[in-house]
């Protein structure tokens, strides 16, 4: 880490500042980071230009040699993101200087081919296509990690289908449930998020200066615009849009929503893990807890924390993309430019959170003993609903409820189990309700799980609705 | 408006404040408002309780008479939202007092049936189901108005498929397009929004205290939970969920995204109309422009304004719903409660904006003459891309570009058309480019429309991707 | 609640839907609700018109009788918000029909005075002024409840300055703290929020059609615009702005931020209370816990839940107001209209959350015994930092840390206190560290509180920075 | 740009991805970018550690030599952000590996001093302090550019105090105003934003593991915690907080709001410039318009576009910071971590937008002729309010209004000026209203400017309220 030839931290140079993930432990080093960095966007822009050249050749708008010349130059040209970033200020986007450099690189080998670089296209064609390419490539890594996480939580659901724990509502013990059902719920959420993300159309963009494809049309006799659009989408490996979508931003808005949905689904898992990891609860622990700079004994739920942090950011970023739908004209002055960085950050937050969730779920240590202990913490109150149901035929609904409230109060005040307090308050129950106490009695939480197992089966076999 | 028996505005009574749309001209009086008011939510909660009673009877968890007794009482009981609202503070939601009142109403006719009201359910079962019912009912009105708007913009696209106008990018004239293509683009956006909204699952909610359906299970010998879940969904007219989704909030988050997508799509139309309505542009006008309290001559684009206002609010509201995905436990303390009002407001914004867009599109006055005049405003620069393409074979790409820049400069400085300036700067073009000027010459914007017509056809025949 | 003459819930009438707080238990029945309802906005608009008439008379722009005639009519006129809401659709805001009705009411007594109603003003003058008046009036109630809450948490901080509890970081026990310090921290946050909210300028709005005050200037010889602006601000009881701020929306954006800051500060208290209320933690309980429709034993932290729900909504609403700063022209088409409902909802969320927080803090039950028990839950690990500091001079930093990690592991594995495990691992400590164990030994959490008391004193005497 | 020794764009290496501003032309190359990069944060963290060592020595908690040893090592150590970023995943923040590296660097010279590195502090102390240091340093650049912009718009207001133009409301011409008044309004907004940002407290953070300063207290006899806190704040150059604010996040939330306010104020300027730059309006142009990759003639308002893009992102980022106020415990699991990247991005958006606005305002080309032409576009309707006022004494209010509406209709239908249409409709006006037409007549927009000049004076002399 310390080295003579690395730049000194105390001399940040104004001409080459760069971010390398220092403030983003949630996605630093993740596949999504690599797939969304400046270099990846640069690569995708070059890929778009090369695909355009090949498509043009394929439909007869350019000589066959152009396809190869541009494709090769796009592969081999050495560009630095920083230089393009600084030059992007002139026109407001990085495609303009990129085209200049690519044209120069092609011209170095084939001056005629250079005339065809970017011909008929507009900056937005290339940048939108690049964003969709980056999204496509990042999506693969996100889906892979969502699948890893889904498999791991499905395994947890299977292993713990009979592991009884307290269900909690508004922070309080409610009734018994199983950890298996909780994990199965996570699974349904992950599957829904996965399905939505995978189903998204990711269209190529090509419309020319303002969406009419006019600059292509003039080249030949017949209108080649639509054929070019199809060929371009195929060459670049994206969906073919119905029409150019320069100012029809549903693809970006929907991508934002799907990513925020995925991050939110992961955030649900993290929220549960954070509660269950609390020192006083102790029902789960991350496989490799995080260290602390101050306290030697700590083992923090770091992955859940980082996922939770992502879940707090993603909705706001998605709202920016939804806001850019209201885009005036054939290219809006601001709404388009406002999408770039939020979309990239969303891709990263989703990729990082999916990675963390996969690791978290695969390594999660489950403490069934602690769950059992916690269940007992209220001395039987966890099954008060069940007792109310059982008492109702004997006492009527309101008298049953009053008796239970009295017994709950006595049990808490005297520190005795609820069944003892009930029998003390209503001795006749000893005869009338013989299955009240005892190992498999009404007060056994394991006997009050309803359809938990059946629901787990449904969840694991689920097709998302 | 002035009346002796209406309450005085100067004595707002603290015990019956109410909102009646005063600050929301965008949705006041709309079908969506009526479908989402307190009375509509109250109705939906009662419908959910009645459906539960019928479902319980259908699967043998309650006597047959309960179904009718509860259904009738739910239909006939007179409840005031205000009283429930105030009592809702005790437990944090309005279902608790509603159940008390409904139980009393059933008991007045049938004491035994009253024992079965809400039996086995939890407040969230009823409130979530009511929210989905309200969403279902409101969606019908939103879809109807989206369809009206789509039909109207499709008609505009057809009528104006050859109406040439300036395409604008970053506020500047770019190249020619047609108003038909612009309207066709609106159509694709509306279709996508419509398809997404219509495809959303809107599931019933039923899980009991914490999602295990345990309180139902104990009633009979075999586990009736899943059968009850199916029967309940059918009775209430919603989708059957895979598992109870008390803390798995994808349905609400996705609904929020679909509504924000719809509002954003409408916002695109409004943004274009607002630009084109500007006094200096004057290409369109709302059929019935809005009055002004100060200026007698004004005719404001009021509908577009109200749609634009909705489009600024919807993304933030959707972000609240996305944020509630990260919900701890079997019922979160806050994330659930935070959904109610934003979801209602989103339904209203979508409903109001769709109504306004339908009226706007149906009544839009299009001024093709003004479009033609505006096209000419730059003296031919609008076709400079086309001229660059035509000049390139004659002069090479860079000399062509330089010549055009020179001519554009001269044209602006001397106030002459671009073709004159070109001929002045390069007299040889008179011979080498005979089709430069003239009615159907290269400078005629109508000749540089590329694939506009073919794209309109695709857009109008579109299946959304 | 059930009554023959209240409207039936099953017949929601499309022409008089109204919201009465059914979905908002967080603010239903609060002073803020009454201060922000449609009736309150209507009253404030009439107050603004009356103030304008008085100001015009005061600076000689209207006869003296106009002041009284309009003021009286504004006080006595009977208007129904619903009718104005429906008519507001025509021009996009409710001022236009309101002016018509007010003019008619004035004319009924004094036809000449009626000529002066609203003269020279624009709708936005009235609506913006009304919004600021509503904000002013609501702010009083919010500040009063923030003060109540601040006094109550200050009392908690005083009472519990020596009540030791576990500080928690990333959900895990960290080191000891006191409940007094936690409450003192809440106090600093409330004081900051209170100070910011109270310091906000709330300016009157008056600019005429587009902010030049031109319609007033033509009335007399000398330019009376600025004098009128000052008189109007005085009459209406708001700050005088530097210039009309029709399209300079800092007052609204800053109000949104201050309200969201207040809600967020309250949300911090709620977040802590929710953690400390958990069944397994049990350190605090709300004075009057919320009931459950399903579980007789539950006592939910309802107030904290409702505050938490508000804290999830307020930032998004504030973001809409911040977004409206980017407002084109002298009156934007959408950005202004988008402010109304989010501003109202923010005022209500702040008012409701402040009320709930005051009640919560005043009634909070603190269980010091449970805090002590929880402190002991980790067998001494809570003071491991202290032990590391004490061991370092004896063993060096890294050996001390290793020894502690070993002892912590042993203590957890064998279920023995940390001091025992330390002595077992390093018997020499019995002599070298004689104050390790025992009632006031190094392992006593009460001895490791640092500057907690001094910080409480600072916090309670604080002037917010 | 093309170079053999730079990395190839087609081989993005997963282990050193970095962002260099490619997607952010709004702030690439700005001072704010350099002040907020990973290197700048790293520097600030090292500064915080060094300040802590000096403060400890100053209050007697460490030998005097520690101050110099740590300060020197912090200045000289060579660390790479990337390596720290990757190691930050273990504990969830970059301070833990940074402390390890700094300790090693100190130990290389002075093993005893190394024992004191970071002693008593927690990671959050360093990271929060670093964030405030970065904010402090970035704020200087933001304020400098806000001041540049304010000076430039004040100059525009002065120069153009009599430059008449059309005020526009809801996109339509309303009444005349001056460009000077518009620029003066921008000035008030910039001053308010500047004042708020400059007044923000930026506190140092120091609390130890959980805010009690306990690890410092045990070092000496008397409680040195508060003295250390003061010394640390002085050494690091930040405000001294009342109490540690690990979980009391008002400083960050308020910073977020102030930055979003600044970006929004700049966004107002951009929104106006974008409208006035439209091809059909042409009243202003950016000094150096942006190029286009497709259209040789275009000169885009690029700076305004980039500012507008920032104004669409900032509110959402601020909402994340406001949301983090609701932070549980003494350090929340997620809410803190969620602040880092949004805060950095907000600082950059503000810095970049302020730079662009300064350049935009300094270079803005104002076309007063075009403003005059546009004023005339409605044939006199722009002064219809004035005519209504002048006609009212002659005809009564309602007859005056009807006449004007008739004349406005005739003028538009026949393409004649409004005064001609008025005279045609009401020939008696020739005598009764002799000052109707003519160069300084009632129809001269320059005569209907109300208090515009006086308001400019107020705005330029303003102290922000």
């Amino acid at each position: 880490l310390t080295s003579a030839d690395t730049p000194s931290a105390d001399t940040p140079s104004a001409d080459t500042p760069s971010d390398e993930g220092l403030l983003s432990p949630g996605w630093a080093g993740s596949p999504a980071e690599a797939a969304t960095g400046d270099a990846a966007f640069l690569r995708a822009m070059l890929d778009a230009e090369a695909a355009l050249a090949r498509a043009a050749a394929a439909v007869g708008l350019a000589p066959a040699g152009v396809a190869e010349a541009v494709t090769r130059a796009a592969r081999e040209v050495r560009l630095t993101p920083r230089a393009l970033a600084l030059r992007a200020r002139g026109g407001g986007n990085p495609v303009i200087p990129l085209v200049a450099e690519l044209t120069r690189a092609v011209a170095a080998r084939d001056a005629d081919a250079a005339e065809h670089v970017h011909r008929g296209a507009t900056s937005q064609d290339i940048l939108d296509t690049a964003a969709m390419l980056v999204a496509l490539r990042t999506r693969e890594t996100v889906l892979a990690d969502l699948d890893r996480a889904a498999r791991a939580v499905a395994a947890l659901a299977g292993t713990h289908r009979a592991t009884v724990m307290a269900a909690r509502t508004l922070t309080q013990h409610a009734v018994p449930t199983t950890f298996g059902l909780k994990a199965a719920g996570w699974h349904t959420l992950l599957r829904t998020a996965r399905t939505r993300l995978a189903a998204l159309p990711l269209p190529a963009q090509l419309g020319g200066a303002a969406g009419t494809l006019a600059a292509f049309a003039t080249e030949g006799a017949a209108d080649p615009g639509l054929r070019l659009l199809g060929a371009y989408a195929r060459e670049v490996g994206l969906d073919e849009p119905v029409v150019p979508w320069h100012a029809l931003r549903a693809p970006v808005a929907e991508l934002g929503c799907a990513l925020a949905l995925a991050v939110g689904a992961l955030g649900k898992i993290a929220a549960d893990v954070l509660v269950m990891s609390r020192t006083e609860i102790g029902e789960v622990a991350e496989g490799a807890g995080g260290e602390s700079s101050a306290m030697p004994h700590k083992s923090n739920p770091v992955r859940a924390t980082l996922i939770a942090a992502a879940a707090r950011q993603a909705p706001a970023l998605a709202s920016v993309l939804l806001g850019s739908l209201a885009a005036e004209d054939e290219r809006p002055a601001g709404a388009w430019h406002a999408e770039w960085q939020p979309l990239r950050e969303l891709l990263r937050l989703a990729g990082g959170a999916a990675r963390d969730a996969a690791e978290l779920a695969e390594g999660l240590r489950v403490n069934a003993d602690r769950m059992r202990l916690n269940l007992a913490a209220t001395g039987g109150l966890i099954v008060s609903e069940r007792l109310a149901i059982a008492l109702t035929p004997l006492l009527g609904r309101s008298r049953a409820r009053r008796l239970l409230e009295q017994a709950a109060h006595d049990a808490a005040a005297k520190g005795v189990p609820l069944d003892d307090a009930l029998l003390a308050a209503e001795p006749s129950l000893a005869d009338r309700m013989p299955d009240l106490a005892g190992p498999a009695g009404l007060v056994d939480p394991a006997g009050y799980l309803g359809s938990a197992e059946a629901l787990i089966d449904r969840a694991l076999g689920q097709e998302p609705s």
Side-chain angles (χ1 to χ4, degrees), chain A residues 5 36 44 59 174 179 193 258 270-272 325 355 374 389 396-397 400 404:
Chain A
D5 55 4
T36 56
V59 302
F179 182 62
D272 281 341
L325 283 163
R355 173 186 63 166
N374 288 339
I389 294 169
R397 198 176 191 176
L404 265 169

Side-chain angles (χ1 to χ4, degrees), chain A residues 41-81:
Chain A
F41 265 90
L42 189 45
R43 165 71 2 236
M45 288 189 271
L46 291 166
D47 290 347
E49 293 285 2
L52 177 61
R54 295 194 301 275
V59 302
L61 287 174
V66 166
E68 195 202 324
V70 178
T71 297
R72 177 189 287 198
R75 194 171 57 233
E76 295 179 357
V77 66
R78 298 289 183 267
L79 305 177
T80 54

Side-chain angles (χ1 to χ4, degrees), chain A residues 309-335:
Chain A
R312 285 172 163 270
Q313 298 171 74
L317 296 168
S319 78
V320 176
L321 302 184
L322 284 166
S324 284
L325 283 163
E328 77 281 358
D329 294 341
E330 276 64 43
R331 183 168 311 122

Side-chain angles (χ1 to χ4, degrees), chain A residues 107 152 163 197 227 231 343 357 378:
Chain A
T163 303
L197 188 57
R227 281 186 297 125
L343 175 59
T378 56

